[in-house]
Amino acid sequence: MQVKFAQVYQERCLGAFQRYAEALKSASEPWLEGPARPVTPVDLWRDASAYWLDFTQRSILFWDTLRQRGNNWLEHEKAGKPPLLDFDWEMIADARTFEHPANYALVRIVPPDGVETDPDRRPFVIIDPRAGHGPGIGGFKQDSQVGVALKAGHPVYFVIFFPEPMPGQTLADVSRAEADFLRIVGERHPKTRKPVVVGNCQGGWASMLVGAIEPDLVGPIVINGAPMSYWAGNDGENPMRYAGGILGGTWPALLASDLGAGKFDGAYLVENFEYLNPSNTYFDKYYTLFSKIDTEPERFLEFERWWGGFFLMGRDEIKWIVENLFVGNNLADGDAEWSEGRAFDLRAIKSPIILFASLGDNITPPQQAFNWVADLYPSTEALKANGQVIVGLMHKSVGHLGIFVSGAVAKREHSQIVDLIEYIEHLPPGLYGMQVEEQKVDGSVRYDVMLTERRVEDLQVLQKYGRKDEAPFKAVEAASETLASTYETFVHPVLAPMVSPTTAKVARTFNPQRAQRWSVSDLNPFLWPLKGMAEMARANRTPRDNDGPTAAMERWMAAVTSASWDFYRDLRDASVENSFFRIYSPASIGMAAQDKEAEAEAPIDIRSAPLVKEALAHIEDGTRTAGLVRAALLLMKVGTGRRRLSAMKRARELVGKDVGLLDMPTDDAREIIRRQSYIVDLEPERALAALPKLLRTPEDRRITLDLLGRLEGRIEANAQQVALLGEIRRLLSDDRGEDMAKAEPITVTLLEKDADDRPGTMPRQRATRRASDNRRTRPSS
């Protein structure tokens, strides 16, 4: 085993050296090619003179921008750190006044001029992450989650929070408060369906907790970049997951809370984020500002207003988070208790769930966003048996913050999520992959969504090496419990009384995250002349020649500096990973063996699940709406497994009002779809044969045939679907209906899909001809 660790570590280091060498080669190529034109000594002198004048001006403007950042930080602190929303808002409910107080509040977003919302449309409730920073990232700009929901006509509410927790506040208090917020929103919009809950990062798993304890209050849940399975990840790619083991588990968070007089400083969490990418933290973002000083300051200052707002957590809150999520991974296992003996059970969530993650996210990698599904449901059948609908959307490259703040992501992904919400509740249970397709029509860009049925087992593709590397984290959990118990017994009783709130506040003031801001502001008398110097530099701005040799030298030095930081990061992460597995893997071997013996679970028999068993016992029972749903599901079963949003919209326009689902309460409609999906999945032949018994009257059959006729030629269909449609027509058109359905075999095979099931538009004449052919070739009674 030790030899294997040494080999892996050597490979990681070798890869780091290779990437560093490639970066240096790439940075040096312009120099190796030589100048585009001959350069004389006079040209060099002129270029150097112009460059150094520009360099001096940029330096003054750069430091003045940092001074403005410091002043903005001071103003934000003085104002009480209000939410950084780019929209007006009004307070609806303040949880600080609740029976179980929490430092949260519900606000209503006031639509900007020119944007109208319909109070009878389903409201959106957006929960921002409380992970060190303040609220506002979900509505940071007009092109944001808030913006796209408002433009679609939905009322939008936002869950904000205040800088300091209430005394004795727990995560259970927060979940109760957020549940009360949803109750209030529901009361304000009694004619609409249940509110959509959107959770960003930490707000994502907070949304799931609310859905677990109050499933009847929650509509569809959208969680963006939300870490749900903290142990998951790929070796060599996701170093943040090793932090709990390297630091020894929970006790550092307890120590930090005791040094903060019972409050945990969110600046520590921000430091963890910055630790992941030191080249950006210490060089790239500042060099980008320096090199683009004429255009970049506004964007830089806008983002830094949010990034520099550090909020606090209570000791009990951070302890619960670290124990149950970072170290324990208890949420996915169903062991995260919100009160004594009462654990959050994510299986209790009834609403559809949309998961949005990105391959470019190194804070919440896709494995942490998706693997909880496989932890909770070991098979696709288990997920369906629970009646759950889960849709996964994967971006190829955007980073963690880009999921929430990128205007391009808001216009493309988030706007399509808002569009899909109206249809997701009518999907049969299952796991779906969501893909946003882009089309250019007459110079404008149009988007469509493709949903493809997936299996839970397909999630293994996210793991390069399987999930065996998660075994050492169980040893981390055991070590954490021991160290935390020792700390609580011997250190906490001595240290906690020694730290007063005033001492803790002074210590937070000198935290490097804060000190770097207030020290470069107008509080520093040495910087008082800087403002006048910056104004002079702007008035006499003389940009350099970007193609000159000195500017090229600057770019080369910047590229080398950035690559060097990346080289350091790669070697550091490889060393941390190697240390982690050397420490904890030997201890996990015995634990893994015990778990393997204890977890010898029998395969799940989906037919024995109560919901499924009940559905199969009533194959011949149901209303006209149930019959129409069954017919639709039968046609989908022999389809391609893909559903296009534009086709779903078209079908709803053509027949939606007549099916009956839209006029029902959401839960009743979902119950019909769920029950019929079980029947069609497990007993497709019997489901088809019994269809006339659900459509007993001539009126029911006439309406059904009419609806099918409306869809012909307007909805994509493959050859099997056309044949099945003819069979359904035969069953419902025959005067003997039910008796013939009993007596004769069904000629269309539903258990296997056609190998050539390419979709195409279904012509009316071809469908009619196939239906008549079916009648002619039918065996006689």
Side-chain angles (χ1 to χ4, degrees), residues 627-637 643 708 721 728:
L628 291 169
V629 170
R630 182 181 296 184
L633 292 175
L634 285 166
L635 290 167
M636 289 184 206
K637 185 174 180 63
R643 294 171 173 81
L708 293 175
Q721 288 174 312
I728 293 173

Side-chain angles (χ1 to χ4, degrees), residues 200-260:
N200 297 321
C201 190
Q202 178 272 342
W205 57 254
S207 303
M208 297 289 282
L209 299 186
V210 177
I213 63 173
E214 293 287 355
D216 293 331
L217 294 177
V218 179
I221 300 174
V222 182
I223 57 176
N224 305 305
M228 299 287 293
S229 293
Y230 280 81
W231 291 357
N234 281 327
D235 297 348
E237 294 180 4
N238 310 123
M240 200 172 189
R241 64 182 184 144
Y242 306 123
I246 295 299
L247 295 174
T250 309
W251 76 267
L254 300 177
L255 173 62
S257 299
D258 289 340
L259 293 175

Side-chain angles (χ1 to χ4, degrees), residues 360-545:
D361 188 347
N362 65 343
I363 292 177
T364 302
Q367 297 84 0
Q368 294 186 9
F370 286 100
N371 277 4
W372 68 272
V373 178
D375 292 337
L376 210 60
Y377 303 107
S379 67
T380 306
E381 288 70 29
L383 184 147
K384 289 184 175 182
N386 198 49
Q388 185 56 264
V389 173
I390 298 179
V391 176
L393 172 61
M394 183 81 75
H395 197 282
K396 293 182 179 179
S397 60
V398 73
H400 184 70
L401 292 176
I403 293 175
F404 321 125
V405 302
S406 169
V409 171
K411 293 177 182 177
R412 192 174 189 270
E413 279 77 13
H414 289 301
S415 64
Q416 296 310 300
I417 289 174
V418 171
D419 217 8
L420 179 64
I421 288 295
E422 298 300 321
Y423 301 86
I424 191 174
E425 288 178 314
H426 289 171
L427 289 175
L431 179 66
Y432 300 86
M434 174 178 172
Q435 183 178 357
V436 179
E437 299 179 340
E438 185 174 311
Q439 297 177 343
K440 291 186 177 180
V441 180
D442 299 329
S444 62
V445 177
R446 295 182 182 177
Y447 299 109
D448 200 359
V449 169
M450 177 70 78
L451 296 180
T452 305
E453 292 183 44
R454 303 292 187 189
R455 294 190 60 79
V456 171
E457 294 79 2
D458 295 339
L459 294 176
Q460 293 295 329
V461 74
L462 296 173
Q463 306 290 146
K464 287 185 178 179
Y465 313 105
R467 302 190 66 178
K468 294 180 180 179
D469 64 348
E470 294 182 17
F473 290 90
K474 296 182 180 179
V476 173
E477 183 178 13
S480 174
E481 290 174 357
T482 300
L483 292 172
S485 177
T486 302
Y487 177 87
E488 294 281 42
T489 302
F490 298 105
V491 181
H492 172 67
V494 177
L495 179 61
M498 297 173 58
V499 182
S500 68
T502 302
T503 303
K505 186 174 182 180
V506 172
R508 285 194 290 268
T509 301
F510 285 92
N511 182 289
Q513 290 289 336
R514 293 182 179 84
Q516 64 177 291
R517 288 167 169 80
W518 59 255
S519 64
V520 186
S521 70
D522 285 343
L523 286 181
N524 188 340
F526 293 102
L527 299 182
W528 289 350
L530 193 56
K531 182 179 180 180
M533 295 169 63
E535 293 174 352
M536 184 181 300
R538 291 189 190 93
N540 298 279
R541 188 74 177 96
T542 308
R544 67 187 184 281
D545 179 8

Side-chain angles (χ1 to χ4, degrees), residues 657-670:
K657 292 183 179 179
D658 298 309
V659 172
L661 292 175
L662 297 178
D663 297 328
M664 290 184 179
T666 303
D667 291 343
D668 293 346
R670 280 212 307 261

Side-chain angles (χ1 to χ4, degrees), residues 89 127 316 724:
W89 51 270
I127 303 178
D316 291 338
L724 178 58

Side-chain angles (χ1 to χ4, degrees), residues 742-753:
K742 284 183 180 178
E744 300 186 13
I746 301 301
T747 59
V748 179
T749 300
L750 294 172
L751 297 179
E752 296 181 2
K753 293 181 181 178

Side-chain angles (χ1 to χ4, degrees), residues 650 711-718 722 758-764 766:
R650 193 157 55 247
L711 294 176
E712 284 186 288
R714 297 178 177 88
I715 302 295
E716 290 181 348
N718 61 22
V722 173
R758 293 183 295 271
T761 302
M762 181 171 60
R764 185 180 299 273
R766 184 177 67 179

